[in-house]
Amino acid sequence: DVAIKKSKELNFVNVYNDHLAQHSSTTCRREVVHHLIRRYSSEKYKNKRTRSFLYFGKSGFLVGRDSETMKIGRDSETMKLLRVLHLGGLRFHFASNGNLIHLRYLGIHGYYFSYYLAFISKLRFLQTLDASSDASGHIISETVDLRKLTSLRHVIGKFFGELLIGDAANLQTLRSISSDSWNKLKHELLINLRDLEIYEYSTSEERRVPVSWASLTKLRNLRVLKLRAKCGVYLWLESEEAVRSMDVISPSLESVTLVGITFEEDPMPFFQKMPRLEGLILENCHYSGGKMSVSEQGFGRLRKLCFFMESLDELQIEEEAMP
């Protein structure tokens, strides 16, 4: 309460809520709007100094179409200094969006993602695209073309449809992408990728989708990896002979989480070659061999090891392993 009070005194933030009707400040740069967006939009509001606009609350309101709400839709296009725009579940109409050249962050619900596709494709300098604010984890099945957004650093959402990424040298976070889209990317260009999640949600008859570990070894700065498959759909992790023969694999990886993965052989010798690995989680994975082994001096930096596998009968750990 003290922080909010002080923020209002300094015009740092202008908060709209159910209990106190306020008039918009023409000098306030950061605004947080609760679900009474209709009352807010009906105000004769125009603030060209706005840097941040965040909406929280109920979903589904359409702003910028009817006569009452058209005002806010037009005025938002004149916010040339806007850098942060978090719409959540709000459907917000933009007739034109060429003026938002300073926008760096866009947050929307995955459920409404298709509504904003044309808008997003023109945000050339956008750095963070966050479509994860939908609590239901809505799957984005449409083709998403981000090839013109060359400044992207973080892309977050369940992108099950084809995800087109152009010059991805700046990309640091990609959560999550389908295995099919991942296999089509030029992995050698993802030189700064640090956080990757591949999520498989296949509805086809083919239930074994291969993911080549060779494609992952090209990610020199990858620190966090998660491979996840929906129940009943199994990702098949391919570790080619050229990869298995390496003394060190993925030297930057610190955390690996595998959900619904099928192993054709004991993966422990493979993971032990990751020198910086600190966390390894295997959940609902399948391995018909029944026994996994951790060799002497294996997992020198491992701090967290979690197994949730009904098919695993025995985990053998040699002395001096996991020091």
Side-chain angles (χ1 to χ4, degrees), residues 14 33-34 54 76 78 92 99 135 147 152 171 175 185 197 199 203 214 217 228 236 257 260-261 274 277 288 322:
N14 192 14
V33 181
H34 199 237
L54 289 85
S76 293
T78 67
F92 202 107
N99 290 331
R147 287 175 292 185
L152 272 177
L171 195 63
R175 302 196 309 260
L185 292 181
E197 178 177 352
Y199 179 80
T203 57
T217 60
R228 179 185 296 272
W236 174 30
T257 301
I261 306 299
M274 301 176 185
L277 191 64
S288 59
M322 296 187 286

Short mmCIF file of all heavy atoms in Angstrom, two decimals, residues 14 33-34 54 76 78 92 99 135 147 152 171 175 185 197 199 203 214 217 228 236 257 260-261 274 277 288 322:
data_model
loop_
_atom_site.label_atom_id
_atom_site.label_comp_id
_atom_site.label_asym_id
_atom_site.label_seq_id
_atom_site.Cartn_x
_atom_site.Cartn_y
_atom_site.Cartn_z
N ASN A 14 -0.62 4.98 -12.66
CA ASN A 14 -2.00 5.40 -12.48
C ASN A 14 -2.86 4.14 -12.49
O ASN A 14 -2.93 3.45 -13.51
CB ASN A 14 -2.42 6.35 -13.59
CG ASN A 14 -3.74 7.04 -13.29
OD1 ASN A 14 -4.21 7.00 -12.16
ND2 ASN A 14 -4.32 7.68 -14.28
N VAL A 33 -4.68 -1.06 -15.74
CA VAL A 33 -6.13 -0.97 -15.82
C VAL A 33 -6.74 -2.30 -15.41
O VAL A 33 -6.37 -3.35 -15.94
CB VAL A 33 -6.59 -0.60 -17.24
CG1 VAL A 33 -8.11 -0.48 -17.30
CG2 VAL A 33 -5.94 0.71 -17.67
N HIS A 34 -7.69 -2.25 -14.47
CA HIS A 34 -8.40 -3.46 -14.06
C HIS A 34 -9.53 -3.72 -15.04
O HIS A 34 -9.62 -3.10 -16.10
CB HIS A 34 -8.88 -3.31 -12.61
CG HIS A 34 -9.21 -4.61 -11.95
ND1 HIS A 34 -10.45 -4.89 -11.41
CD2 HIS A 34 -8.47 -5.74 -11.78
CE1 HIS A 34 -10.44 -6.11 -10.92
NE2 HIS A 34 -9.26 -6.64 -11.14
N LEU A 54 -0.82 -1.77 -18.97
CA LEU A 54 -1.05 -3.15 -18.53
C LEU A 54 -2.50 -3.33 -18.15
O LEU A 54 -3.06 -2.55 -17.38
CB LEU A 54 -0.16 -3.49 -17.33
CG LEU A 54 1.34 -3.65 -17.60
CD1 LEU A 54 2.03 -2.29 -17.57
CD2 LEU A 54 1.97 -4.55 -16.56
N SER A 76 -4.47 5.03 -28.66
CA SER A 76 -3.34 4.15 -28.42
C SER A 76 -2.38 4.15 -29.59
O SER A 76 -1.19 3.95 -29.43
CB SER A 76 -3.83 2.73 -28.14
OG SER A 76 -4.53 2.70 -26.93
N THR A 78 -1.53 6.70 -31.18
CA THR A 78 -0.72 7.92 -31.11
C THR A 78 0.31 7.85 -30.00
O THR A 78 1.07 8.79 -29.81
CB THR A 78 -1.62 9.14 -30.88
OG1 THR A 78 -2.21 9.05 -29.57
CG2 THR A 78 -2.72 9.23 -31.93
N PHE A 92 -8.25 -5.91 -28.43
CA PHE A 92 -7.98 -4.49 -28.59
C PHE A 92 -7.78 -4.21 -30.07
O PHE A 92 -6.89 -4.77 -30.71
CB PHE A 92 -6.70 -4.15 -27.81
CG PHE A 92 -6.55 -2.72 -27.43
CD1 PHE A 92 -6.73 -2.33 -26.12
CD2 PHE A 92 -6.22 -1.77 -28.37
CE1 PHE A 92 -6.57 -1.01 -25.75
CE2 PHE A 92 -6.06 -0.46 -28.02
CZ PHE A 92 -6.24 -0.06 -26.70
N ASN A 99 2.93 3.33 -35.94
CA ASN A 99 3.54 4.30 -35.03
C ASN A 99 4.19 3.67 -33.81
O ASN A 99 4.94 4.34 -33.10
CB ASN A 99 2.47 5.30 -34.55
CG ASN A 99 2.04 6.24 -35.66
OD1 ASN A 99 2.81 6.53 -36.56
ND2 ASN A 99 0.80 6.70 -35.60
N ALA A 135 -4.17 -18.73 -18.63
CA ALA A 135 -4.00 -19.76 -17.60
C ALA A 135 -4.33 -21.16 -18.11
O ALA A 135 -3.82 -22.16 -17.60
CB ALA A 135 -4.87 -19.43 -16.38
N ARG A 147 9.30 -13.58 -39.16
CA ARG A 147 10.54 -13.38 -39.88
C ARG A 147 10.96 -11.92 -40.00
O ARG A 147 12.14 -11.61 -40.14
CB ARG A 147 10.44 -14.01 -41.27
CG ARG A 147 10.48 -15.53 -41.25
CD ARG A 147 10.26 -16.13 -42.60
NE ARG A 147 8.90 -15.91 -43.07
CZ ARG A 147 8.41 -16.41 -44.21
NH1 ARG A 147 9.20 -17.15 -44.98
NH2 ARG A 147 7.17 -16.16 -44.57
N LEU A 152 13.74 -9.80 -31.96
CA LEU A 152 13.14 -10.66 -30.95
C LEU A 152 14.19 -11.34 -30.07
O LEU A 152 15.16 -11.90 -30.57
CB LEU A 152 12.26 -11.72 -31.60
CG LEU A 152 10.80 -11.35 -31.88
CD1 LEU A 152 10.10 -12.49 -32.59
CD2 LEU A 152 10.06 -11.01 -30.60
N LEU A 171 17.76 -14.11 -30.45
CA LEU A 171 16.79 -14.90 -29.70
C LEU A 171 17.44 -15.62 -28.52
O LEU A 171 18.42 -16.35 -28.69
CB LEU A 171 16.10 -15.91 -30.62
CG LEU A 171 14.81 -16.55 -30.09
CD1 LEU A 171 13.73 -15.50 -29.88
CD2 LEU A 171 14.32 -17.63 -31.04
N ARG A 175 9.90 -20.68 -25.94
CA ARG A 175 9.05 -21.60 -25.20
C ARG A 175 7.60 -21.37 -25.61
O ARG A 175 7.08 -20.28 -25.37
CB ARG A 175 9.15 -21.38 -23.68
CG ARG A 175 10.51 -21.50 -23.07
CD ARG A 175 10.42 -21.65 -21.55
NE ARG A 175 9.58 -20.62 -20.94
CZ ARG A 175 10.07 -19.53 -20.35
NH1 ARG A 175 11.35 -19.33 -20.29
NH2 ARG A 175 9.27 -18.64 -19.84
N LEU A 185 13.95 -25.28 -38.49
CA LEU A 185 14.73 -24.07 -38.24
C LEU A 185 16.20 -24.29 -38.58
O LEU A 185 16.70 -25.42 -38.60
CB LEU A 185 14.61 -23.66 -36.77
CG LEU A 185 13.25 -23.16 -36.28
CD1 LEU A 185 13.33 -22.78 -34.81
CD2 LEU A 185 12.76 -21.98 -37.10
N GLU A 197 12.13 -24.78 -25.06
CA GLU A 197 11.16 -25.83 -24.76
C GLU A 197 10.51 -26.29 -26.06
O GLU A 197 10.00 -25.48 -26.84
CB GLU A 197 10.06 -25.33 -23.81
CG GLU A 197 9.01 -26.40 -23.51
CD GLU A 197 7.96 -25.96 -22.52
OE1 GLU A 197 8.12 -24.88 -21.93
OE2 GLU A 197 6.97 -26.69 -22.33
N TYR A 199 7.53 -28.63 -27.38
CA TYR A 199 6.29 -29.22 -26.87
C TYR A 199 5.56 -29.91 -28.01
O TYR A 199 5.27 -29.28 -29.03
CB TYR A 199 5.41 -28.13 -26.27
CG TYR A 199 4.09 -28.62 -25.72
CD1 TYR A 199 4.01 -29.23 -24.47
CD2 TYR A 199 2.91 -28.47 -26.45
CE1 TYR A 199 2.81 -29.67 -23.97
CE2 TYR A 199 1.70 -28.91 -25.95
CZ TYR A 199 1.64 -29.50 -24.71
OH TYR A 199 0.45 -29.95 -24.21
N THR A 203 -1.83 -34.76 -33.02
CA THR A 203 -3.12 -35.45 -33.09
C THR A 203 -3.15 -36.43 -34.25
O THR A 203 -4.18 -37.02 -34.54
CB THR A 203 -4.26 -34.43 -33.27
OG1 THR A 203 -4.00 -33.65 -34.44
CG2 THR A 203 -4.34 -33.50 -32.07
N ALA A 214 21.54 -33.85 -32.29
CA ALA A 214 22.57 -33.12 -33.04
C ALA A 214 22.15 -31.67 -33.26
O ALA A 214 22.98 -30.76 -33.26
CB ALA A 214 22.81 -33.81 -34.39
N THR A 217 23.00 -29.75 -30.07
CA THR A 217 24.42 -29.52 -29.80
C THR A 217 24.93 -28.27 -30.53
O THR A 217 26.00 -27.77 -30.19
CB THR A 217 25.26 -30.73 -30.23
OG1 THR A 217 25.09 -30.96 -31.65
CG2 THR A 217 24.86 -31.97 -29.45
N ARG A 228 8.83 -31.74 -23.96
CA ARG A 228 7.58 -32.17 -23.33
C ARG A 228 6.61 -32.69 -24.38
O ARG A 228 6.45 -32.10 -25.45
CB ARG A 228 6.93 -30.98 -22.60
CG ARG A 228 5.61 -31.28 -21.91
CD ARG A 228 5.00 -30.02 -21.33
NE ARG A 228 5.83 -29.47 -20.28
CZ ARG A 228 5.73 -29.81 -19.01
NH1 ARG A 228 4.82 -30.71 -18.63
NH2 ARG A 228 6.50 -29.26 -18.10
N TRP A 236 10.68 -38.89 -29.62
CA TRP A 236 11.74 -39.88 -29.72
C TRP A 236 13.05 -39.14 -29.83
O TRP A 236 13.33 -38.47 -30.82
CB TRP A 236 11.49 -40.77 -30.94
CG TRP A 236 12.59 -41.74 -31.23
CD1 TRP A 236 13.44 -42.33 -30.34
CD2 TRP A 236 12.96 -42.22 -32.52
NE1 TRP A 236 14.32 -43.15 -30.99
CE2 TRP A 236 14.04 -43.11 -32.33
CE3 TRP A 236 12.48 -42.01 -33.80
CZ2 TRP A 236 14.65 -43.77 -33.39
CZ3 TRP A 236 13.08 -42.66 -34.85
CH2 TRP A 236 14.15 -43.54 -34.64
N THR A 257 14.88 -31.09 -18.60
CA THR A 257 13.61 -31.70 -18.17
C THR A 257 12.99 -32.41 -19.37
O THR A 257 12.77 -31.78 -20.42
CB THR A 257 12.63 -30.63 -17.65
OG1 THR A 257 13.21 -29.95 -16.54
CG2 THR A 257 11.33 -31.28 -17.20
N GLY A 260 7.59 -37.42 -21.17
CA GLY A 260 6.99 -38.23 -22.23
C GLY A 260 7.97 -38.62 -23.31
O GLY A 260 7.58 -38.79 -24.47
N ILE A 261 9.23 -38.80 -22.96
CA ILE A 261 10.25 -39.14 -23.94
C ILE A 261 10.48 -40.65 -23.98
O ILE A 261 10.45 -41.32 -22.94
CB ILE A 261 11.58 -38.44 -23.62
CG1 ILE A 261 11.36 -36.93 -23.47
CG2 ILE A 261 12.63 -38.71 -24.69
CD1 ILE A 261 10.83 -36.26 -24.71
N MET A 274 27.53 -34.02 -20.02
CA MET A 274 27.19 -32.60 -19.93
C MET A 274 27.86 -32.03 -18.68
O MET A 274 27.36 -32.22 -17.56
CB MET A 274 25.67 -32.41 -19.87
CG MET A 274 24.96 -32.99 -21.07
SD MET A 274 23.16 -32.88 -20.95
CE MET A 274 22.68 -33.77 -22.44
N LEU A 277 25.77 -29.74 -16.08
CA LEU A 277 24.41 -30.13 -15.75
C LEU A 277 24.20 -30.16 -14.23
O LEU A 277 24.91 -30.85 -13.50
CB LEU A 277 24.10 -31.51 -16.34
CG LEU A 277 22.62 -31.94 -16.29
CD1 LEU A 277 21.77 -31.01 -17.14
CD2 LEU A 277 22.47 -33.38 -16.77
N SER A 288 12.58 -49.34 -22.08
CA SER A 288 12.26 -50.77 -21.94
C SER A 288 13.39 -51.57 -21.31
O SER A 288 13.18 -52.72 -20.92
CB SER A 288 11.92 -51.36 -23.32
OG SER A 288 13.00 -51.18 -24.23
N MET A 322 28.31 -38.53 -8.71
CA MET A 322 27.60 -37.35 -8.22
C MET A 322 28.25 -36.78 -6.95
O MET A 322 27.61 -36.69 -5.91
CB MET A 322 26.13 -37.67 -7.97
CG MET A 322 25.38 -38.05 -9.23
SD MET A 322 23.62 -38.24 -9.00
CE MET A 322 23.56 -39.80 -8.13
#
